[in-house]
PDB file of all heavy atoms in Angstrom:
ATOM      1  N   CYS G  11       2.558  10.596  -9.385  1.00 70.00           N
ATOM      2  CA  CYS G  11       1.610  10.965 -10.438  1.00 70.00           C
ATOM      3  C   CYS G  11       0.967  12.312 -10.148  1.00 70.00           C
ATOM      4  O   CYS G  11       0.704  13.101 -11.060  1.00 70.00           O
ATOM      5  CB  CYS G  11       0.541   9.886 -10.584  1.00 70.00           C
ATOM      6  SG  CYS G  11       1.166   8.343 -11.251  1.00 70.00           S
ATOM      7  N   GLY G  19      -0.803  20.459 -14.953  1.00 69.00           N
ATOM      8  CA  GLY G  19      -1.808  21.495 -14.724  1.00 69.00           C
ATOM      9  C   GLY G  19      -1.241  22.878 -14.918  1.00 69.00           C
ATOM     10  O   GLY G  19      -1.913  23.780 -15.434  1.00 69.00           O
ATOM     11  N   ALA G  36      -8.110  12.457 -13.013  1.00 74.00           N
ATOM     12  CA  ALA G  36      -8.081  11.034 -12.682  1.00 74.00           C
ATOM     13  C   ALA G  36      -6.947  10.722 -11.708  1.00 74.00           C
ATOM     14  O   ALA G  36      -7.122   9.961 -10.747  1.00 74.00           O
ATOM     15  CB  ALA G  36      -7.940  10.200 -13.952  1.00 74.00           C
ATOM     16  N   LEU G  58      -8.976   5.650  19.284  1.00 72.00           N
ATOM     17  CA  LEU G  58      -9.764   6.833  18.946  1.00 72.00           C
ATOM     18  C   LEU G  58     -11.109   6.816  19.663  1.00 72.00           C
ATOM     19  O   LEU G  58     -11.534   7.830  20.223  1.00 72.00           O
ATOM     20  CB  LEU G  58      -9.966   6.908  17.427  1.00 72.00           C
ATOM     21  CG  LEU G  58     -10.781   8.085  16.913  1.00 72.00           C
ATOM     22  CD1 LEU G  58     -10.079   9.391  17.214  1.00 72.00           C
ATOM     23  CD2 LEU G  58     -11.035   7.944  15.432  1.00 72.00           C
ATOM     24  N   TYR G  76     -13.445  30.745  38.749  1.00 88.00           N
ATOM     25  CA  TYR G  76     -13.368  32.191  38.561  1.00 88.00           C
ATOM     26  C   TYR G  76     -14.064  32.971  39.671  1.00 88.00           C
ATOM     27  O   TYR G  76     -14.276  34.168  39.535  1.00 88.00           O
ATOM     28  CB  TYR G  76     -14.011  32.586  37.217  1.00 88.00           C
ATOM     29  CG  TYR G  76     -13.222  32.127  36.023  1.00 88.00           C
ATOM     30  CD1 TYR G  76     -13.728  31.155  35.166  1.00 88.00           C
ATOM     31  CD2 TYR G  76     -11.974  32.659  35.745  1.00 88.00           C
ATOM     32  CE1 TYR G  76     -13.013  30.738  34.070  1.00 88.00           C
ATOM     33  CE2 TYR G  76     -11.250  32.239  34.650  1.00 88.00           C
ATOM     34  CZ  TYR G  76     -11.773  31.287  33.810  1.00 88.00           C
ATOM     35  OH  TYR G  76     -11.078  30.867  32.730  1.00 88.00           O
ATOM     36  N   ARG G  93     -15.808  56.297  43.251  1.00 89.00           N
ATOM     37  CA  ARG G  93     -14.895  57.391  42.902  1.00 89.00           C
ATOM     38  C   ARG G  93     -15.560  58.351  41.912  1.00 89.00           C
ATOM     39  O   ARG G  93     -15.509  59.569  42.057  1.00 89.00           O
ATOM     40  CB  ARG G  93     -13.607  56.826  42.312  1.00 89.00           C
ATOM     41  CG  ARG G  93     -12.561  57.884  42.006  1.00 89.00           C
ATOM     42  CD  ARG G  93     -11.269  57.293  41.464  1.00 89.00           C
ATOM     43  NE  ARG G  93     -10.654  56.412  42.444  1.00 89.00           N
ATOM     44  CZ  ARG G  93     -10.453  55.102  42.260  1.00 89.00           C
ATOM     45  NH1 ARG G  93     -10.843  54.527  41.143  1.00 89.00           N
ATOM     46  NH2 ARG G  93      -9.886  54.363  43.187  1.00 89.00           N
ATOM     47  N   GLU G  94     -16.221  57.793  40.901  1.00 91.00           N
ATOM     48  CA  GLU G  94     -16.880  58.627  39.892  1.00 91.00           C
ATOM     49  C   GLU G  94     -18.046  59.418  40.489  1.00 91.00           C
ATOM     50  O   GLU G  94     -18.240  60.591  40.178  1.00 91.00           O
ATOM     51  CB  GLU G  94     -17.376  57.752  38.747  1.00 91.00           C
ATOM     52  CG  GLU G  94     -17.995  58.533  37.620  1.00 91.00           C
ATOM     53  CD  GLU G  94     -18.452  57.636  36.482  1.00 91.00           C
ATOM     54  OE1 GLU G  94     -18.040  56.465  36.421  1.00 91.00           O
ATOM     55  OE2 GLU G  94     -19.242  58.124  35.656  1.00 91.00           O
ATOM     56  N   ALA G 131     -26.216  57.233  49.934  1.00 87.00           N
ATOM     57  CA  ALA G 131     -27.128  57.037  48.806  1.00 87.00           C
ATOM     58  C   ALA G 131     -26.656  55.933  47.864  1.00 87.00           C
ATOM     59  O   ALA G 131     -27.489  55.217  47.285  1.00 87.00           O
ATOM     60  CB  ALA G 131     -27.294  58.339  48.038  1.00 87.00           C
ATOM     61  N   GLN G 135     -25.430  48.386  51.333  1.00 80.00           N
ATOM     62  CA  GLN G 135     -24.966  47.572  52.453  1.00 80.00           C
ATOM     63  C   GLN G 135     -23.447  47.570  52.602  1.00 80.00           C
ATOM     64  O   GLN G 135     -22.925  47.061  53.587  1.00 80.00           O
ATOM     65  CB  GLN G 135     -25.444  46.127  52.271  1.00 80.00           C
ATOM     66  CG  GLN G 135     -26.939  45.975  52.212  1.00 80.00           C
ATOM     67  CD  GLN G 135     -27.592  46.287  53.551  1.00 80.00           C
ATOM     68  OE1 GLN G 135     -26.995  46.093  54.600  1.00 80.00           O
ATOM     69  NE2 GLN G 135     -28.808  46.781  53.504  1.00 80.00           N
ATOM     70  N   ALA G 146      -6.444  71.145  53.631  1.00 54.00           N
ATOM     71  CA  ALA G 146      -6.886  72.124  52.616  1.00 54.00           C
ATOM     72  C   ALA G 146      -8.194  72.749  53.064  1.00 54.00           C
ATOM     73  O   ALA G 146      -9.039  72.063  53.638  1.00 54.00           O
ATOM     74  CB  ALA G 146      -7.067  71.442  51.277  1.00 54.00           C
TER      75      ALA G 146
END
Side-chain angles (χ1 to χ4, degrees):
C11 291
L58 180 64
Y76 291 113
R93 184 178 298 118
E94 184 179 344
Q135 300 292 330

